[in-house]
Amino acid sequence: MTTHPARPLLVYDGDCGFCRYSVDYARAVTGDRIDYEPYQSAAARFPEVKSEDFARQIYLFRPDGSSATAGRAALECLAVEPRLRAWLFCYRMIPGLAFFTELLYRLTARHRGLALTLARPLFGAELRPLDYRRTASIIVRSVGVLAVCALVSWWTQ
């Protein structure tokens, strides 16, 4: 018999390096609003899902007893963060985007080792949410430089 989690629960393949890499990012984004557990320890609580299915894709179990899988589960998980909600909205509303997202998910899931090999040099050894402090610093300094240029231009006229 399935026990419904108190909070949304994302179940992933704990043996997969790419899955752990991605879940570390999701955990950093969602904080304590979603629980994460490898299927190797969670599968016994969800007997209606076969181990092969857990190994093939992620599952998001909701407190109301419903669930989502694959790309939709990933986007629903990230959508608990307000700045990332637009991705789920687009998934639902833009024709063809859900199909493309699920296709991309299946392709990535079939080639997890390659995905991890490509992701680490592109995004770093640890995938973390963006930090806007550096970008904000560059913008503020640029505005300052432009203000000085404007004043110098005005002064010379």
Side-chain angles (χ1 to χ4, degrees):
M1 181 177 193
T2 301
T3 58
H4 303 302
R7 289 190 291 208
L9 171 67
L10 186 85
V11 179
Y12 64 97
D13 184 354
D15 292 334
C16 167
F18 182 75
C19 297
R20 289 190 312 270
Y21 182 77
S22 301
V23 164
D24 286 344
Y25 171 78
R27 192 176 275 130
V29 168
T30 63
D32 62 357
R33 293 171 284 186
I34 293 186
D35 292 326
Y36 299 87
E37 188 175 351
Y39 84 83
Q40 289 82 351
S41 62
R45 293 197 320 267
F46 302 98
E48 70 277 7
V49 180
K50 298 176 187 171
S51 276
E52 308 85 58
D53 292 337
F54 273 131
R56 187 174 34 250
Q57 62 190 357
I58 61 173
Y59 278 78
L60 180 65
F61 294 100
R62 301 180 194 102
D64 67 2
S66 62
S67 65
T69 61
R72 183 180 183 103
L75 292 176
E76 279 190 33
C77 175
L78 294 176
V80 301
E81 173 59 34
R83 66 184 171 89
L84 297 175
R85 261 186 210 136
W87 290 108
L88 182 60
F89 177 80
C90 291
Y91 176 92
R92 291 177 177 157
M93 303 306 288
I94 298 174
L97 187 60
F99 173 79
F100 178 73
T101 301
E102 298 302 330
L103 186 67
L104 187 61
Y105 183 93
R106 284 194 304 272
L107 179 67
T108 303
R110 284 189 197 121
H111 304 286
R112 296 178 196 177
L114 177 61
L116 183 60
T117 301
L118 294 173
R120 282 199 170 136
L122 288 172
F123 304 112
E126 292 183 15
L127 187 58
R128 294 287 174 222
L130 292 176
D131 181 11
Y132 296 102
R133 286 179 286 186
R134 188 172 189 182
T135 304
S137 174
I138 291 169
I139 290 170
V140 167
R141 290 168 196 252
S142 299
V143 168
V145 168
L146 289 173
V148 167
C149 291
L151 285 172
V152 168
S153 170
W154 180 65
W155 182 42
T156 60
Q157 291 177 10

